[in-house]
Amino acid sequence: MTDGLSSPSSSPRIGILVVAYNAEATLEKTLDRIPADFRPRIAEILILDDASHDATFTAGCRWSQLDGMPPTVVMRHTKNLGYGGNQKAGYALAAERGLDIVVLLHGDGQYAPELLPQMVEPLVRGECEAVFGSRMMRPRDALRGGMPLYKWLGNRILTRLENALLGSELTEFHSGYRAYKVDALRRLPIERNTDAFDFDTQIIVQMADAGMRIAEIPIPTYYGDEICYVNGLRYAKDVVKDVLEYRLAKKGFGTCGWIPKPVEYAFKEGDGSSHAVILDRMRGLPPGRVLDVGCSGGAFAERLEALGHTVTGVDCVEVEGVRDRCSGGFHLADLEEGLPDDIGEGYDYVVAGDVIEHLSRPERLLDELRGVLRPDGHVLLSVPNFGHWYSRLRVALGIFDYDRRGILDETHLRFFSRASLRRTVRAAGYDVLSISATGAPFWSVLGGGPPATVLGGVSKLLTRLRPTLFGYQYVALLTPHAARTIIAGEHIDVQDILNRQFVPVDTATHRVGV
């Protein structure tokens, strides 16, 4: 369905989603407060009774039969879905019935129906994807409206913490008065969200992650019966956990199924990652033909092209724009099945950054890469270090599980230590010129500032002192097995030349026997 808000000649279909639980005494009074001059603009009211123990459903049906009311659907769940589960059902119904805008209204009168026109206007004008009613835009009004002091303080503290972790600037995270574009909700994986009260926080995080715009308007504070169902301490723990889980997931830790995993690798210059280390290595090499295996969207290839290299990309998924960033061409191929037949040969360099651990038979790919490489060419590859203290500790404590990215990436099929990496590449026909270790990215979760800088520096120092325990990833520089060639009757040892050309200067680089 096209977004009805994009056409100035058509009015958006506005829906009101009323979530209700044991709201028999308040539901009709709340609905009566919907401004009379706004009712003609409402395409449909959806009242969802979440398996109440009282006559909430009957009250909703009774109100829907009154003269002059907007078209109203009243539904009663046969089992309690929870605050978040009820919203999921309501938003799915809003999409099914072709609504363009849906406003969340609580059946207990906690939020002011009188402000429905103001809630939808920024969406009608196309200024944002969501509008939140905030009780904290005028903070003292919340206290005057009956919000207990401890709840007011808790709201302020939690909102400040959540803003700091998300990089947002909302005045309140914990208002349940919200209006959304239905099309925006359709693009979010809200079906994966919790069914509990922190559902609203997870939607904020999802919208922030997707780059969607959120507007706020000031609203008055009322307290109804529904607030009694919220366990304040548990709610505070859950919302903080959600935001921390998101921050960790963006760094690769945990699975966090309610946040989409990006298809494209997000390369950041100088972030200390294996790709950044490989790029630094490539800056010291003469320009040549590069085969970038697992090139993703071509962000790394683009940087190599800027250094004068001609890059050919290979990946199992074609990300938009990748062909523009790889002047040597792009090949769509499943590396589990090997290199494509038309990949060519005679490459000066092959880059395989964080690739072979995703394959069940990495030896096969390494062997094929040797076949497309020049005899004096080089392979730069990186793999996570399974011997790192993080994975060792999780195994020792019996809490082994997968993460979104990193050492325990949920798509990894093979794990490597420095010794097993060395054995694997030598068995595939390579000499190891050097292996270096990168520091862990854990401390970047803290953002900038002195704590992250100090802890990051300690991590780098420990990596230099004990790379097998503190090194997060290994970056290896390889060349096909040394061969003796004859030039003008003389025997030239290619390996001797290569060893003289590539002398490691980083103290974190550890020479291995070749």
Side-chain angles (χ1 to χ4, degrees), residues 306-320:
L307 296 177
H309 299 283
T310 300
V311 182
T312 300
V314 184
D315 210 308
C316 61
V317 176
E318 181 171 349
V319 178
E320 183 179 358

Side-chain angles (χ1 to χ4, degrees), residues 6 9 76 79 138 150 161 163 203 207 215 218 242 251 265 268 274 288 348 385 399 412 415 433-434 461 466 499:
S6 61
S9 62
R76 182 180 187 277
K79 62 176 289 186
R138 297 190 291 260
Y150 77 93
L161 175 62
N163 275 327
I203 275 199
M207 298 192 82
D242 288 338
K251 297 299 179 181
Y265 173 78
K268 295 181 181 179
S274 55
D348 299 290
N385 170 29
I399 54 174
H412 285 179
F415 295 107
L433 299 182
S434 67
L461 176 61
R466 188 78 182 276
N499 281 340

Side-chain angles (χ1 to χ4, degrees), residues 181-489:
K181 283 186 180 181
V182 175
D183 179 64
L185 291 176
R186 190 183 290 113
R187 286 180 276 144
L188 300 176
I190 61 174
E191 71 283 350
R192 303 178 190 172
N193 288 10
T194 177
D195 292 334
F197 285 99
D198 55 320
F199 175 89
D200 285 344
T201 295
Q202 292 186 350
I203 275 199
I204 295 177
V205 174
Q206 288 170 331
M207 298 192 82
D209 182 66
M212 295 183 180
R213 300 162 297 172
I214 299 173
E216 293 184 288
I217 67 167
I219 61 172
T221 300
Y222 302 107
Y223 264 73
D225 295 336
E226 190 168 336
I227 198 68
C228 299
Y229 298 109
V230 182
N231 181 318
L233 291 177
R234 178 177 178 180
Y235 173 77
K237 175 182 71 69
D238 287 343
V239 297
V240 172
K241 176 183 71 67
D242 288 338
V243 181
L244 286 174
E245 184 179 36
Y246 169 72
R247 283 299 301 269
L248 289 170
K250 296 303 287 185
K251 297 299 179 181
F253 305 110
T255 52
C256 196
W258 51 277
I259 293 296
K261 189 174 181 180
V263 175
E264 183 176 2
Y265 173 78
F267 181 86
K268 295 181 181 179
E269 200 84 41
D271 63 356
S273 68
S274 55
H275 285 74
V277 173
I278 292 174
L279 183 63
D280 286 340
R281 290 282 186 90
M282 292 295 291
R283 286 194 176 98
L285 302 177
R289 293 181 62 215
V290 180
L291 178 62
D292 187 0
V293 180
C295 64
S296 188
F300 183 78
E302 189 173 37
R303 288 162 172 79
L304 290 180
E305 294 271 353
L307 296 177
H309 299 283
T310 300
V311 182
T312 300
V314 184
D315 210 308
C316 61
V317 176
E318 181 171 349
V319 178
E320 183 179 358
V322 64
R323 294 182 185 271
D324 298 329
R325 301 183 184 103
C326 298
S327 62
F330 171 78
H331 298 264
L332 185 64
D334 182 1
L335 294 175
E336 185 68 31
E337 303 298 324
L339 292 175
D341 295 333
D342 58 346
I343 198 67
E345 56 185 22
Y347 289 95
D348 299 290
Y349 312 104
V350 170
V351 174
D354 305 339
V355 170
I356 65 171
E357 64 270 20
H358 296 270
L359 304 176
S360 61
R361 296 173 57 198
E363 300 85 359
R364 173 184 172 181
L365 177 65
L366 289 170
D367 182 66
E368 291 186 3
L369 291 176
R370 186 165 48 83
V372 302
L373 194 64
R374 290 178 50 183
D376 59 345
H378 296 86
V379 174
L380 293 99
L381 67 81
S382 61
V383 296
N385 170 29
F386 192 72
H388 186 269
W389 65 262
Y390 172 70
S391 47
R392 290 194 196 191
L393 182 63
R394 290 184 64 168
V395 172
L397 294 177
I399 54 174
F400 175 86
D401 203 349
Y402 288 94
D403 292 327
R404 287 165 63 96
R405 291 189 291 115
I407 300 172
L408 302 179
D409 189 311
E410 56 194 347
T411 63
H412 285 179
L413 299 179
R414 295 285 290 269
F415 295 107
F416 293 94
S417 63
R418 188 171 68 177
S420 66
L421 172 62
R422 188 186 311 169
R423 286 195 302 269
T424 299
V425 296
R426 288 183 67 86
Y430 295 91
D431 288 327
V432 182
L433 299 182
S434 67
I435 293 181
S436 62
T438 70
F442 298 155
W443 319 119
S444 58
V445 173
L446 301 174
T453 301
V454 171
L455 291 172
V458 171
S459 175
K460 290 179 181 178
L461 176 61
L462 292 174
T463 298
R464 291 174 182 272
L465 295 175
R466 188 78 182 276
T468 55
L469 180 60
F470 295 102
Y472 192 71
Q473 290 174 291
Y474 291 125
V475 177
L477 176 65
L478 315 174
T479 190
H481 271 327
R484 298 190 68 82
T485 186
I486 298 178
I487 300 177

Side-chain angles (χ1 to χ4, degrees), residues 51 72 93 106 123 128 134 140 162 165 169 172 180 189 203 215 218 225 230 235 270 302-303 385 394 408 443 497 503:
T72 302
L93 185 61
H106 289 217
L123 297 173
C128 54
S134 171
R140 295 295 175 182
E162 289 161 318
L165 290 173
E169 297 180 347
E172 183 182 8
Y180 299 102
I203 275 199
D225 295 336
V230 182
Y235 173 77
E302 189 173 37
R303 288 162 172 79
N385 170 29
R394 290 184 64 168
L408 302 179
W443 319 119
I497 295 175
V503 178

Side-chain angles (χ1 to χ4, degrees), residues 72-96:
T72 302
V73 175
V74 185
M75 298 179 61
R76 182 180 187 277
H77 302 310
T78 57
K79 62 176 289 186
N80 185 272
L81 302 182
Y83 176 70
N86 202 10
Q87 284 193 61
K88 293 178 192 178
Y91 296 141
L93 185 61
E96 179 183 316

